[in-house]
């Protein structure tokens, strides 16, 4: 049985889709939602879904291995970053080699790196005149958005699209593809 912890910083729309996708799965369950903001809506959503939550603070996350202890206590075997804005520390990357995935709202390596998240990405896509964008699902290493790519899918960007319209197109791709790609990757790991 794979037991997933979803790390998120915001509303948790991707986290909700992932929880729902694996609700009745025979081999994969979402056991924990981890957030780094006490007022993050993802925490309330997780509780509504019956998933336990964990709140991280920056000093505890970076200056101790308390997060690792909490994950071990919950018997977590796999981590999904779904809009989690902090860089994952080396101790966590090392404890879960090839078992942490992230979703990025652009076609990496374009528009990746520190500070490139959410609307910052969609504005940059618009400002540079890109004709397409999309999502990248990738493994996590010790640098922002540099882990091996597992999956990419693109969508068109028109000259008339606003950053908000681009965000909506990308969010739709995230909601359709993230959970199935996680499932496929976990199945491949375990085959």
């Amino acid at each position: 049985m794979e037991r997933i912890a979803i790390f998120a910083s915001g509303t948790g729309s991707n986290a909700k889709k992932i929880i729902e996708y694996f609700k009745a799965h025979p081999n994969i369950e979402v056991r924990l939602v981890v957030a780094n903001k006490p007022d993050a809506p993802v925490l309330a959503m997780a509780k509504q879904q019956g998933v336990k939550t964990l709140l991280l603070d920056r000093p505890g996350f970076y200056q101790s291995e308390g997060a690792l202890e909490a994950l071990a206590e919950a018997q977590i075997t796999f981590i999904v970053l779904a809009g989690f804005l902090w860089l994952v520390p080396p101790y966590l990357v090392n404890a879960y080699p090839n078992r942490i995935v992230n979703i990025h709202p652009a076609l990496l390596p374009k528009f990746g790196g520190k500070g490139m998240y959410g609307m910052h990405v969609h504005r940059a896509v618009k400002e540079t005149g890109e004709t397409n964008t999309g999502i990248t699902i990738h493994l996590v290493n010790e640098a922002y958005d540099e882990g091996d790519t597992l999956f990419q899918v693109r969508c068109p960007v028109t000259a008339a699209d606003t950053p908000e319209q681009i965000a909506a197109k990308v969010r739709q791709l995230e909601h359709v593809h993230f959970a199935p790609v996680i499932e496929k990757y976990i199945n491949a790991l375990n085959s």
Side-chain angles (χ1 to χ4, degrees):
M1 173 67 80
E2 291 285 348
R3 292 170 296 277
I4 295 174
I6 300 174
F7 285 50
S9 298
T11 60
S13 69
N14 275 314
K16 185 171 192 244
K17 292 288 185 189
I18 294 165
I19 290 167
E20 290 169 350
Y21 186 87
F22 290 115
K23 201 68 141 185
H25 198 283
N27 306 316
I28 301 170
E29 72 171 311
V30 176
R31 185 168 279 190
L32 188 65
V33 168
V34 180
N36 58 346
K37 296 178 181 176
D39 58 347
V42 70
L43 293 169
M45 180 280 299
K47 288 178 182 159
Q48 285 177 333
Q49 295 284 336
V51 177
K52 290 182 180 178
T53 60
L54 172 67
L55 181 62
L56 299 174
D57 65 15
R58 189 175 282 277
F61 191 53
Y62 289 109
Q63 296 166 17
S64 81
E65 294 188 8
L68 198 53
E69 293 164 22
L71 295 173
E73 189 176 304
Q75 299 178 306
I76 298 303
T77 60
F78 197 85
I79 297 172
V80 173
L81 307 183
F84 186 69
L85 302 182
W86 289 354
L87 186 65
V88 176
Y91 74 83
L92 205 50
V93 173
N94 294 332
Y96 290 88
N98 298 316
R99 289 187 158 270
I100 307 175
V101 297
N102 181 45
I103 191 163
H104 187 76
L107 299 170
L108 292 174
K110 286 184 173 182
F111 308 106
K114 186 171 174 59
M116 291 305 286
Y117 61 90
M119 289 306 295
H120 299 287
V121 172
H122 307 307
R123 283 188 204 102
V125 166
K126 174 70 178 171
E127 287 166 9
T128 57
E130 295 292 317
T131 56
N132 57 59
T133 189
I135 62 169
T136 303
I137 299 168
H138 64 92
L139 294 176
V140 172
N141 62 18
E142 294 172 19
Y144 282 111
D145 303 325
E146 291 183 10
D148 291 346
T149 296
L150 300 176
F151 177 84
Q152 282 188 322
V153 65
R154 56 185 69 232
C155 61
V157 176
T158 70
D161 282 340
T162 65
E164 292 75 17
Q165 289 168 319
I166 295 167
K169 289 179 182 183
V170 168
R171 190 173 313 106
Q172 186 175 16
L173 293 177
E174 291 173 345
H175 290 175
V176 168
H177 295 286
F178 200 10
V181 169
I182 292 165
E183 180 182 35
K184 184 177 177 185
Y185 179 68
I186 285 175
N187 287 341
L189 279 177
N190 294 327
S191 64

